[in-house]
Every structure is written in C-alpha cells, then in structure tokens.
Amino acid sequence: MKNIAVLTATRAEYGLLAPVIKKLKLNKNFNTKILVTGMHLSPEFGLTYKEIEQDGINIDKKVEILLSSDTPASITKTMGLALINFADYFSDNKIDALLVLGDRYETFAVCCAAINERIPIFHLYGGEATFAILDETYRHCITKMSFLHFTSTEPYRNRVIQLGESPERVFNVGAVGVENALNMKLLDKKVLEQELNFSLDKDYAIVTFHPVTLEIQTSQQQTIELINALKFFKNMKFIITKANADAEGRIINELFKKFVAGNDNCILIDSLGSLKYLSAMKYASMVIGNSSSGIIETPSFKIPTINIGERQKGRIKAKSIIDCQPNSQDIISAIQKAKEMNSSGLLNEMLNPYGDGNSSSKIVDVISEFLLKENIDLKKSFYDLKGVE
C-alpha cells in the first residue's frame, strides 16, 4: 500500500481537492493522509479545517505556520515555518507521494521540504498564467519540482511541456471546480437563506476580492473603489467573502467589515465552504471581484463574472467574463453590462473552457497508473521542444 499525502492550506483549495481526496480514500491501494495547514487553522479565517472534519475526512496532521500578520516579511517567515515543520513531518513519516494544488506560497514552501526528502510531487493546475501576482512565480517553480502534472486546459498542458516537462507526465484533466459545479447536490434557496441568516429576496452578487500581490499598496484604494460601486446598486444584495492571507488581505477585510456594518443589503462571511459557495452562485445574478473561481466555476452556472483589475490577467476566459479596471465607474459599467447580459439570455448556450466535470476520476486513474506500477525515478530529463538546441 502506498502512502499518499494531500496538502491543503486554504478553504478554496480544499473545496477543489475534496472530490479527489474522496476517490483516493476509496482506493484500497492507497493510504491517503490529509495534511492541513495555513488559513485552515486560523480563527481569523474561520477555522475552516472543521469543514474537512464535517465531510467525514480524518486529518492526519495539523501543522501551524501562519503568523497573525500579512506583511511581506511575515509571509516569508510563514514560509520558513512551513519548511521547518514539514521537514520534521516528512522526515518522521514514510510518504510515497505528495499531492498539491495551485500556486500559493505555503504550497511552494511545503514542496521544497518534500523534494529535499525525495518525495515525488503530483501537481494540480500548473501551466496557468496570472501575470500580476506572486502566485505566477510559485506555480511555475512547483511545476519544475513536480513529477506528475494535471492541467485544466490543453493550452496549459502545452505550457507545462514548454517548461521542459515530458508530455508523458502531463495530463489535461479539466478543472475540479467545474466538476463540483456540475455534480454537487446544492442547497435549496430557502435552506441557503437559513444557513446564511440573510434574505435573498432581490438580485444578488457574490463578491470576493483579493490583493494583487505584485502591486504595492493598491489594495486599500481598489477596495474603496469597489465598495463605492456596490453602494450605487441599492436594489441589489451582496454576499461578500473575506480575502485570503496574502499581503494586504487584512486591509481588504477591515474595509468590507466597516461597509457591511453600515449597510443591511450585504453580509461578510469568513468562509462559505464549497457547498454554500456554489449554492449561492447557483442563484446569484453575477459574481464580482478577482477570484479564480469567477473565471473557472462561475461560467458553469451561465452567469456573468465582473473580473476587476489584473489579478487574473493571463487566464483563459469564457465569454461570460467582463474585465474592468479597479475604479468605481468602470465597475458600475461592468455590473450594468452583466445585468444586460443576463436579460438577453446570451449565456444560456455558453460552454465552460475548463472541462466536462469528470476531473477527479481522471486524476486518480493517472496517479494509480504511475504510483502503483513501479518506484518513481525522480531523475527527470529536460524535454526540449522541436527546433530548440
């Protein structure tokens, strides 16, 4: 039996990993260990490790790394704690493979510890591009440390190959977020209202806004611009979810906290979790902000996404995505365009470019093929594209 560890550090990351974790646990050839760290263990971000336990998934190890600060120096120190604490875990436990998703700094640090212990890394969602955030750098570094690669589109698969990874180890499986959107049994609207303690009797939007980490000190002004735009739509309601633990994330959360305190048409939630988040998306008229979920999951619900600023610049986008600048007038215009788009019915036949909703089975099948047939040789050669000498 092979020991495969699955790392999760954030609420959104776990929501995407959950279908894969459940299928791995059903496979009797694997002993699947869930490693929980980062924002999951922070009261400030809702202690979201409890959502994992509520799903009936046993957590093998909780690893504290997150400092109560979001300055660049504190993030670097958090990465240092991740290196130290996961070095101990990997040294003390026999792990045959580590499965990770995404591009966050915590994940990068854990992968550094894993590769030093000669643990093969299986990476979900390399090859993507987000030019305005540090995640771009972390993502490509994790790709080069990883042995197996699972991408969400064919162009992203090609980009991983362009980074020198053998095509035999790179698989386009689609996005698990689409699988959740298409297959999860979502809450009835009345039940959702009870869960949120918030009436959804008007058109409403989900709002999620994160820092643009390669910009310096822009979060405060951009959030103020977004809030001013939301104030313009007094006949709409807004479900706002907190920003993540990136630099300046707490600035965003404090501004939203003050906004919600003075307006009864909106609520601020630490973490919705996958079920409530996707259920809220099902009945929403649009999604507003700069989260990747607005690019990947939202098109499956045939509603528009207002994508603010440059945080998601570089991603493949469905025709439901409305890009706008982080100023109030541009955001207002984009919301009005989204309303027109909804009334026109233009999105009813739209296809989501991120897959067919069967990603987790494809991922587990590939892992089984590679991990069970033989010991993995980490001595990778660099795959050169034709014409490159």
Side-chain angles (χ1 to χ4, degrees):
M1 181 178 287
K2 298 287 188 175
N3 293 319
I4 182 166
V6 183
L7 176 74
T8 176
T10 73
R11 68 198 184 202
E13 185 184 74
Y14 168 69
L16 299 177
L17 284 168
V20 183
I21 291 170
K22 290 171 183 176
K23 285 188 171 66
L24 284 171
K25 283 188 167 292
L26 289 173
N27 191 316
K28 296 181 180 178
N29 293 309
F30 298 130
N31 178 22
T32 306
K33 298 175 176 288
I34 311 304
L35 311 181
V36 172
T37 192
M39 291 167 60
H40 279 308
L41 306 178
S42 169
E44 182 179 359
F45 295 97
L47 293 173
T48 51
Y49 76 88
K50 294 180 180 179
E51 296 172 14
I52 302 173
E53 294 177 336
Q54 288 166 2
D55 282 349
I57 295 174
N58 181 62
I59 296 172
D60 186 70
K61 185 70 174 178
K62 297 174 186 173
V63 183
E64 294 274 6
I65 61 170
L66 189 64
L67 300 182
S68 185
S69 174
D70 59 7
T71 65
S74 69
I75 287 172
T76 302
K77 292 174 184 178
T78 292
M79 294 171 71
L81 288 173
L83 272 169
I84 292 167
N85 293 337
F86 278 93
D88 289 340
Y89 178 84
F90 292 139
S91 177
D92 295 341
N93 294 270
K94 182 182 184 301
I95 301 297
D96 296 299
L98 173 68
L99 179 66
V100 301
L101 182 146
D103 43 35
R104 288 186 57 78
Y105 57 85
E106 309 100 320
T107 304
F108 169 71
V110 175
C111 286
C112 289
I115 202 68
N116 285 338
E117 286 287 342
R118 281 63 169 177
I119 296 171
I121 299 167
F122 302 162
H123 183 211
L124 275 66
Y125 304 138
E128 302 186 7
T130 47
F131 302 138
I133 53 178
L134 285 166
D135 297 4
E136 169 89 357
T137 300
Y138 297 136
R139 184 187 308 112
H140 297 327
C141 289
I142 294 168
T143 289
K144 291 310 300 177
M145 287 190 280
S146 298
F147 182 83
L148 284 182
H149 309 273
F150 301 100
T151 70
S152 58
T153 71
E154 193 63 22
Y156 294 159
R157 177 178 182 267
N158 292 334
R159 191 174 284 146
V160 170
I161 296 168
Q162 186 179 342
L163 286 167
E165 297 301 296
S166 169
E168 296 179 353
R169 296 183 283 102
V170 189
F171 301 87
N172 172 22
V173 296
V176 183
V178 175
E179 178 175 341
N180 286 339
L182 294 178
N183 299 323
M184 187 179 290
K185 186 177 180 180
L186 302 177
L187 299 175
D188 177 82
K189 189 174 183 180
K190 288 294 183 184
V191 175
L192 178 63
E193 289 178 320
Q194 292 169 4
E195 290 280 332
L196 299 177
N197 192 26
F198 185 66
S199 173
L200 302 175
D201 57 336
K202 298 179 180 179
D203 282 351
Y204 70 89
I206 302 171
V207 180
T208 305
F209 195 70
H210 298 299
V212 184
T213 51
L214 282 179
E215 297 176 355
I216 299 174
Q217 296 181 342
T218 61
S219 295
Q220 179 170 334
Q221 185 56 40
Q222 290 184 6
T223 307
I224 290 170
E225 295 286 339
L226 171 55
I227 288 171
N228 286 339
L230 299 183
K231 288 178 179 178
F232 185 83
F233 295 92
K234 298 189 182 299
N235 290 325
M236 286 186 68
K237 290 193 169 184
F238 302 101
I239 300 173
I240 305 170
T241 64
K242 281 188 174 181
N244 58 28
D246 288 331
E248 301 185 18
R250 287 172 174 83
I251 293 171
I252 294 172
N253 293 338
E254 282 302 311
L255 287 168
F256 277 136
K257 186 177 179 180
K258 291 177 183 177
F259 170 57
V260 168
N263 293 273
D264 58 8
N265 67 329
C266 52
I267 55 171
L268 178 64
I269 305 289
D270 290 343
S271 172
L272 282 168
S274 292
L275 177 60
K276 284 186 283 189
Y277 182 74
L278 292 175
S279 298
M281 197 178 286
K282 178 181 178 180
Y283 306 111
S285 59
M286 66 189 73
V287 168
I288 302 171
N290 60 5
S291 170
S292 61
S293 63
I295 308 296
I296 296 171
E297 286 99 322
T298 305
S300 294
F301 292 96
K302 315 296 185 186
I303 60 172
T305 295
I306 311 302
N307 180 53
I308 301 171
E310 297 195 343
R311 193 173 195 272
Q312 301 301 331
K313 185 178 180 180
R315 287 195 191 273
I316 293 170
K317 296 171 185 172
K319 66 179 183 180
S320 57
I321 312 302
I322 303 168
D323 294 321
C324 70
Q325 294 301 310
N327 64 73
S328 59
Q329 191 54 56
D330 214 28
I331 297 168
I332 289 169
S333 296
I335 294 173
Q336 290 170 332
K337 183 178 179 180
K339 286 174 170 286
E340 294 169 4
M341 193 179 282
N342 279 330
S343 61
S344 71
L346 288 174
L347 303 182
N348 292 339
E349 303 302 320
M350 179 187 62
L351 296 178
N352 191 329
Y354 286 92
D356 60 7
N358 192 34
S359 300
S360 62
S361 292
K362 295 175 184 177
I363 292 165
V364 173
D365 286 347
V366 172
I367 290 174
S368 298
E369 178 187 350
F370 277 82
L371 197 55
L372 298 177
K373 69 179 180 180
E374 59 185 66
N375 290 326
I376 288 175
D377 185 357
L378 291 177
K379 297 190 292 291
K380 301 187 299 182
S381 60
F382 193 96
Y383 182 86
D384 284 315
L385 299 177
K386 290 182 180 180
V388 178
E389 296 182 355

